[in-house]
């Protein structure tokens, strides 16, 4: 099966710009956030909707780049406020991780990598869907959460960890019917975050993403981190 891109070698990030022109852009993600250069501002509160509703059906896919979770809840969860001037509707969430627990996140904070990163992708409601939204500079927002290893896990992740066993091979998928909420997956403190204008972190690298990176990491135990899923 031929991949459209890879994470190293001749199809690695250094070469993405040859096939996908936007990957050679000037506002590319991921970034290394230098906290000393961050301007501290007060923004309106983020408003979350649907995050406390049990998810009725979660479709889990190993698409060859990541493990992607899609939900069927109606109405879709959504987020507004903070740096966002409108409502953004949930599209999918997925993870980025490394071969071991010392790296794996995409963005970094003060050069520090985290073991894993969760991306919750939302599209601006007025654009109707993610495919249309990606054509507009304010089309998408990604809520990004870092993970830190701890001896005490986060119970809501047990269902996801179990489902990963069914998607260890690229282009496999499975369904989950366990009732957790999106909030169950998140850290306790959601008031402090870093926000910047950037891009999709993989091809087509479109510079259409309002990034919101939460400062407080999610704590997981080692066996809840997905380093045995092959992409
Ligand atoms: S991220 O949140 O910035 N990591 C995409 C979505 C979110 C991010 C990066 C990329 C995205 O939608 N990419 C295009 C989708 N893919 C199709 C696919 O599902 O698997 C097309 C592609 O890459 O060019 Cu392969
Ligand atoms: Zn991502």
């Amino acid at each position: 099966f031929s991949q459209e891109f890879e994470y190293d070698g001749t199809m690695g990030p250094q070469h993405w710009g040859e096939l996908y022109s936007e990957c050679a852009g000037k506002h590319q993600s991921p970034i290394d956030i230098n906290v000393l250069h961050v301007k501290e501002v007060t923004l309106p509160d983020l408003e979350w909707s649907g995050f406390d509703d049990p998810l009725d059906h979660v479709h889990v896919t190993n698409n060859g780049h990541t493990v992607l979770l899609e939900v069927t809840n109606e109405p879709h969860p959504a987020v507004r406020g903070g740096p966002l001037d409108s409502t953004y509707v949930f599209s999918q969430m997925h993870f980025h991780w490394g071969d071991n627990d010392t790296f794996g996140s995409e963005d970094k904070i003060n050069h520090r990598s985290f073991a894993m990163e969760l991306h919750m992708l939302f599209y601006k409601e007025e654009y109707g869907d993610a495919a249309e939204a990606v054509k507009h500079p304010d089309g998408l927002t990604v809520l990004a959460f870092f993970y830190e290893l701890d001896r005490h896990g986060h119970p809501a992740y047990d269902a996801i960890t179990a489902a990963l066993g069914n998607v260890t091979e690229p282009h496999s998928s499975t369904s989950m019917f366990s009732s957790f909420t999106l909030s169950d997956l998140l850290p306790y403190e959601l008031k402090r975050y870093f926000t910047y204008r950037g891009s999709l972190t993989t091809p087509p690298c479109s510079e259409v993403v309002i990034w919101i990176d939460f400062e407080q990491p999610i704590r997981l135990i080692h066996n809840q981190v997905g380093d045995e899923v092959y992409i």
Side-chain angles (χ1 to χ4, degrees):
F1 202 96
S2 102
Q3 297 274 8
E4 317 95 297
F5 65 88
E6 290 172 9
Y7 281 103
D8 48 32
T10 57
M11 296 285 273
Q14 260 61 353
H15 298 274
W16 291 352
E18 297 157 18
L19 280 172
Y20 304 91
S21 60
E22 289 173 281
C23 298
K26 295 270 181 258
H27 296 93
Q28 287 290 295
S29 299
I31 64 168
D32 184 349
I33 296 165
N34 182 330
V35 173
L36 289 175
H37 297 169
V38 172
K39 190 167 69 169
E40 185 135 353
V41 295
T42 302
L43 292 169
D45 282 351
L46 278 173
E47 294 170 44
W48 312 74
S49 63
F51 276 68
D52 294 327
D53 299 342
L55 301 174
D56 23 73
H57 179 183
V58 180
H59 197 70
V60 184
T61 306
N62 176 342
N63 70 0
H65 314 306
T66 183
V67 174
L68 195 81
L69 277 65
E70 291 161 298
V71 308
T72 54
N73 284 46
E74 292 293 348
H76 287 315
V79 64
R80 56 182 290 120
L84 310 172
D85 67 6
S86 169
T87 299
Y88 284 72
V89 179
F90 183 80
S91 170
Q92 48 103 331
M93 59 185 168
H94 61 269
F95 302 95
H96 299 272
W97 66 93
D99 290 339
N100 66 58
D101 293 340
T102 67
F103 68 100
S105 66
E106 295 211 301
D107 281 344
K108 297 178 188 179
I109 297 181
N110 291 342
H111 307 310
R112 178 182 174 196
S113 272
F114 295 81
M116 190 162 74
E117 186 172 335
L118 168 64
H119 288 163
M120 290 185 171
L121 181 79
F122 298 73
Y123 62 87
K124 194 173 188 174
E125 188 169 41
E126 66 193 68
Y127 299 137
D129 60 37
E132 176 61 29
V134 78
K135 300 173 191 164
H136 301 269
D138 60 350
L140 301 175
T141 187
V142 177
L143 306 186
F145 300 90
F146 299 111
Y147 292 88
E148 211 169 55
L149 272 291
D150 200 346
R151 278 187 296 167
H152 303 284
H154 209 123
Y157 279 86
D158 290 341
I160 296 176
T161 309
L164 293 180
N166 297 327
V167 294
T168 55
E169 294 303 320
H171 312 291
S172 57
S173 65
T174 187
S175 280
M176 281 168 58
F177 296 92
S178 53
S179 57
F180 58 89
T181 69
L182 290 180
S183 293
D184 291 336
L185 303 176
L186 302 187
Y188 177 68
E189 208 282 304
L190 298 168
K191 295 264 183 244
R192 286 175 59 80
Y193 54 80
F194 304 101
T195 183
Y196 72 98
R197 294 294 193 113
S199 73
L200 296 177
T201 61
T202 56
C205 308
S206 318
E207 294 181 339
V208 299
V209 182
I210 301 167
W211 283 92
I212 302 179
D213 288 19
F214 289 85
E215 184 178 70
Q216 188 176 90
I218 303 166
R219 301 201 155 78
L220 289 189
I221 44 181
H222 168 81
N223 65 8
Q224 293 180 315
V225 177
D227 51 5
E228 284 165 24
V229 172
Y230 303 103
I231 56 172

